[in-house]
Amino acid sequence: MFCSNEDLLISIQDAANQVVNEYGEDVAKSVFQRFEATCTEDLNPSDYEAAFSELYLIANDN
């Protein structure tokens, strides 16, 4: 299934919000830092899928 960059950005933001709510802002920031970004908008489009995967795994690890 193909996702547009816009769809991926929305998914990343949703997953990041879940991580913040569950584990705190520092955990979400640590994921962005691994991709040399400070927030969703700073991510390189080539990192969208990997960033989403990491955030999704953290958000759903309960």
Side-chain angles (χ1 to χ4, degrees), residues 29-48:
K29 282 184 176 182
S30 72
V31 173
F32 289 117
Q33 287 173 347
R34 285 195 284 277
F35 297 99
E36 299 179 3
T38 58
C39 63
T40 305
E41 291 79 18
D42 288 344
L43 285 169
N44 184 318
S46 65
D47 294 327
Y48 286 176

Side-chain angles (χ1 to χ4, degrees), residues 1-61:
M1 184 173 126
F2 173 77
C3 291
S4 71
N5 282 350
E6 185 176 324
D7 291 337
L8 280 169
L9 282 173
I10 291 168
S11 295
I12 292 167
Q13 289 170 335
D14 289 345
N17 286 335
Q18 286 180 297
V19 170
V20 168
N21 290 335
E22 185 93 15
Y23 300 102
E25 191 172 331
D26 288 343
V27 176
K29 282 184 176 182
S30 72
V31 173
F32 289 117
Q33 287 173 347
R34 285 195 284 277
F35 297 99
E36 299 179 3
T38 58
C39 63
T40 305
E41 291 79 18
D42 288 344
L43 285 169
N44 184 318
S46 65
D47 294 327
Y48 286 176
E49 287 185 36
F52 171 72
S53 293
E54 286 195 36
L55 289 164
Y56 181 85
L57 285 173
I58 295 168
N60 292 288
D61 184 40

